[in-house]
Amino acid sequence: MRSQVEELAGIRERVLAGPSEKATAAQKAKGKLTVRERIGLLLDEGSFQEVEPLRRHRASGFGLEAKKPYTDGVVTGWGTVEGRTVFVYAHDFRIFGGALGEAHAAKIHKIMDMAIAAGAPLVSLNDGAGARIQEGVTALAGYGGIFQRNTKASGVIPQISVMLGPCAGGAAYSPALTDFVFMVRETSQMFITGPDVVKAVTGEEITQNGLGGADVHAETSGVCHFAYDDEETCLEEVRYLLSLLPRNNRENPPAAPCDDPAGRRCESLADLVPADGNRPYDMTRVIEELVDDGEYLEVHQRWARNIICALARMDGQVVGIVANQPQTLAGVLDIEASEKAARFVQMCDAFSIPIVTLLDVPGFLPGVDQEHGGIIRHGAKLLYAYCDATVPRISLILRKAYGGAYIVMDSQSIGADLTYAWPTNEIAVMGAEGAANVIFRRRIAEADDPEAMRAELVKEYRAELMHPYYAAERGLVDDVIDPADTRRVLIGALAMLRTKHAERPARKHGNPPQ
C-alpha cells in the first residue's frame, strides 16, 4: 500500500506542477498567470477541491497518442468565495493551448451539472484556442454540450465568464450566454473570425485587440461588462461581484452589516441636481449619496453611457439601480441604452434583486439611424423587461420624464410598486416648448408678436400640466419628497416590499421582442 500511496503522491505533484517549465515560462512571458494561480486568486485560500485531476484524453492519431497530459488542459472543481460555494473551470493554455477535446469537454460538462445541482455560481476562466482540431467533430459536440448547459443554468445560478486569453470561433458563444463577462486588456480577445479571415474575406487589416480586445467589447460591442488592466484586479472584482449575488434563484442576495445610517439625510442632493432641466449633471454622484458608503459596482460602465446600471447596497441589502445619465446625450434612451438596461433588469429579476430606477429622461433619441436600426423593437425590450419583472420595483423622478421614455422607465402604469418624485419633477408627453408649438401652432402664427405669445403659452402649459404635483394629484406618483430624505424613503420602501409576492399567468415562457 505504501508504494501505491507514494506513486499517487508523485502523480499529484506532477499534476500541480503543470506540463513543463518551458510552457510555464511562455505563459509568464505573455503577462499571464498560470491556471492554478488564477484559481488561487479567485477562491478563498485553501478551499479548492479539484475534480478529475487525473483525466486524460483517449484520442489517437495526429501525434495525440504520444502526448496524454493529466487534466487534459482544463482544471475543474469547487471552492468558496467569502465562505460561499462557487464552482469553477479554468483552461490551461500550457496544455494543447487550452483547446477543447472530448475529455476536456466532459470535465466541463460534469462541473456545470454539479453547479446546477448544488445551486451555486459557476465561474469560467477562459484561456483557450477553441476546438481541438485533431479530435474533429467530437470537439465541436463538446461545445454544444456547454452551450446547452449555459442555457439550462440561465436564471438559475449566476454564470460569470472571465476572459484571460483568446476565445475564438464558436467558443465565444459560451461567454455570450452567461450573465457577466470580464476581460483583461492586451491579453484577452473574443471574436468569431480572426484577423486573418477578416483580411481574406473583406481585405480589412486589423490586430487581434483591435478586432476583439477588451476595450472594443467594453466600449463598442457591449459584449464585455467589465474590463481591467491586469488579472489580479479582474479576479478581485469577480469576487466582489459574487458577494452581491445570491447562490441561486431560490435565495435572496446576501445581506451585509451596514454602518451607514438608513435615515442619513442627503442634503447635498439639492445642489447636485440643477432645477433647470437643460443643465447636465453627473448621476453617479447622486447614486453615491444614496447607497451605503458611496460604494457601487457599475455594469457596462463604458458602453451606452447615457444609462447607468449598477449593483449596490442600501442598509446592507443588495439593490439594482437603473438611472439615466444626463451627462451623456442628456440621458435619452436609444438602442444601446435600451438593450443594456433590459438585460440588467432581467438579471435582477432572475436573482431576486430589487430594482430602483432614477429617472431624468427627455425621451427617446430621434433620428433616421435610430428608427432604421429598430429603436421601436429595442426600446420594447426594456419595456418588456420591466413589465415582466416581479421583484420589488421603486422609481424616483428627479427632474424630467417625458413621453414614451417615461412610461418605459418603470412608471407606475407598467407595474412599479412605488413611485416617488422630487419637487423639481416634470412629467409630460413632451417638453413645454414642444407641446406649446404643437397645441397652439395657429395662435402663435397669428399673433402680432409670435415669440412673446409662444413664451406666454409655454408658461401657461407648464403651470397647468407640468407642475410638480400634477402627477401626484392624479395618483401617478405616490409622494413628492424632499431630496434630502430620499435614502430614508427608499430604504423604508424596500424593507416593506421585501416580502412581495407576485402571481404570474401560467405559461411556458413569454416571447420578448428581439
Side-chain angles (χ1 to χ4, degrees):
M1 173 70 77
R2 187 176 298 277
S3 62
Q4 286 88 346
V5 171
E6 290 174 351
E7 181 183 8
L8 174 61
I11 292 173
R12 290 193 176 280
E13 186 176 344
R14 292 198 298 275
V15 171
L16 293 174
S20 69
E21 291 184 3
K22 182 179 179 181
T24 300
Q27 180 85 346
K28 295 289 188 179
K30 297 174 183 176
K32 294 157 61 174
L33 300 175
T34 65
V35 63
R36 296 185 187 279
E37 288 174 335
R38 290 165 173 168
I39 292 173
L41 288 172
L42 173 67
L43 301 177
D44 296 338
E45 186 175 356
S47 69
F48 183 55
Q49 299 292 313
E50 191 167 353
V51 174
E52 295 190 349
L54 307 183
R55 187 73 177 257
R56 300 161 118 174
H57 74 77
R58 55 186 180 184
S60 60
F62 305 102
L64 286 180
E65 67 277 359
K67 188 177 181 183
K68 294 190 174 184
Y70 293 114
T71 74
D72 199 46
V74 63
V75 177
T76 62
W78 75 88
T80 59
V81 173
E82 296 188 4
R84 297 192 304 153
T85 300
V86 173
F87 287 81
V88 61
Y89 70 85
H91 300 132
D92 190 343
F93 194 83
R94 300 171 299 171
I95 298 176
F96 301 129
L100 180 139
E102 180 189 25
H104 183 120
K107 291 180 65 175
I108 295 175
H109 296 168
K110 180 172 183 175
I111 210 66
M112 295 179 80
D113 289 338
M114 292 175 68
I116 295 169
L122 174 70
V123 178
S124 63
L125 306 182
N126 297 268
D127 187 6
R132 196 173 298 171
I133 298 172
Q134 299 93 323
E135 297 195 33
V137 70
T138 307
L140 293 178
Y143 275 121
I146 293 173
F147 303 156
Q148 190 269 342
R149 287 167 174 82
N150 284 139
T151 305
K152 181 180 178 182
S154 182
V156 179
I157 57 172
Q159 298 180 84
I160 299 173
S161 298
V162 188
M163 316 311 296
L164 302 171
C167 185
Y173 283 114
S174 177
L177 289 169
T178 60
D179 299 302
F180 298 97
V181 176
F182 287 72
M183 294 186 75
V184 176
R185 294 185 182 90
E186 303 302 324
T187 58
S188 65
Q189 303 88 27
M190 296 175 66
F191 37 70
I192 300 300
T193 55
D196 293 340
V197 176
V198 170
K199 182 179 179 181
V201 174
T202 70
E204 299 171 286
E205 292 192 16
I206 193 167
T207 64
Q208 287 195 347
N209 281 321
L211 182 63
D215 288 327
V216 168
H217 287 311
E219 296 180 13
T220 305
S221 72
V223 170
C224 167
H225 299 81
F226 306 96
Y228 299 100
D229 291 331
D230 56 80
E231 294 188 19
E232 291 85 354
T233 304
C234 180
L235 292 169
E236 182 181 347
E237 291 301 300
V238 173
R239 286 176 58 89
Y240 180 43
L241 173 59
L242 285 166
S243 75
L244 296 169
L245 299 175
R247 289 183 296 184
N248 56 64
N249 65 336
R250 301 183 302 276
E251 298 184 2
N252 290 321
C258 177
D259 295 326
D260 194 347
R264 168 173 57 81
R265 285 179 60 81
C266 305
E267 301 288 356
S268 64
L269 288 178
D271 298 321
L272 285 177
V273 180
D276 182 356
N278 294 320
R279 287 183 57 193
Y281 63 93
D282 188 354
M283 183 66 82
T284 63
R285 297 184 63 190
V286 175
I287 295 172
E288 288 171 1
E289 280 294 313
L290 296 177
V291 302
D292 293 351
D293 303 311
E295 294 182 0
Y296 63 95
L297 179 64
E298 188 170 350
V299 179
H300 269 144
Q301 181 180 9
R302 297 164 62 194
W303 182 61
R305 298 188 186 194
N306 42 322
I307 201 161
I308 297 169
C309 297
L311 292 170
R313 281 193 167 90
M314 299 187 75
D315 197 30
Q317 303 291 330
V318 178
V319 296
I321 297 173
V322 179
N324 305 108
Q325 173 56 290
Q327 209 168 49
T328 302
L329 295 176
V332 297
L333 287 180
D334 60 5
I335 289 173
E336 292 185 345
S338 298
E339 287 196 337
K340 170 179 170 178
R343 183 79 193 284
F344 183 77
V345 168
Q346 289 172 329
M347 184 280 299
C348 289
D349 187 50
F351 294 116
S352 303
I353 300 173
I355 302 167
V356 174
T357 304
L358 306 179
L359 285 88
D360 191 346
V361 59
F364 281 94
L365 180 65
V368 175
D369 289 344
Q370 288 290 307
E371 296 295 344
H372 288 185
I375 184 62
I376 297 172
R377 175 167 52 88
H378 293 286
K381 294 178 183 179
L382 180 55
L383 178 60
Y384 188 100
Y386 270 125
C387 290
D388 198 45
T390 60
V391 292
R393 291 154 49 191
I394 301 173
S395 61
L396 170 68
I397 301 155
L398 279 66
R399 203 166 56 169
K400 58 185 178 295
Y402 295 158
Y406 153 64
I407 301 295
V408 168
M409 289 287 292
D410 206 20
S411 62
Q412 193 173 101
S413 61
I414 67 168
D417 296 295
L418 289 166
T419 302
Y420 297 104
W422 285 358
T424 48
N425 83 87
E426 291 183 352
I427 306 173
V429 175
M430 62 177 66
E433 290 80 5
N437 287 335
V438 172
I439 298 172
F440 306 114
R441 179 172 58 249
R442 182 172 296 177
R443 286 180 61 184
I444 293 171
E446 294 174 350
D448 293 335
D449 187 344
E451 289 306 316
M453 176 61 72
R454 179 182 290 107
E456 181 181 340
L457 293 172
V458 165
K459 184 178 179 181
E460 179 183 335
Y461 182 87
R462 181 173 281 118
E464 290 294 323
L465 296 177
M466 294 180 64
H467 66 80
Y469 303 98
Y470 184 84
E473 290 170 2
R474 284 151 183 80
L476 299 175
V477 166
D478 291 294
D479 199 5
V480 179
I481 63 173
D482 180 347
D485 289 331
T486 303
R487 174 175 162 85
R488 176 185 62 79
V489 170
L490 291 179
I491 288 174
L494 289 166
M496 180 275 294
L497 290 167
R498 201 162 295 146
T499 55
K500 174 186 174 182
H501 175 72
E503 293 290 342
R504 309 184 76 170
R507 62 182 177 184
K508 186 174 182 180
H509 58 74
N511 186 23
Q514 296 296 328

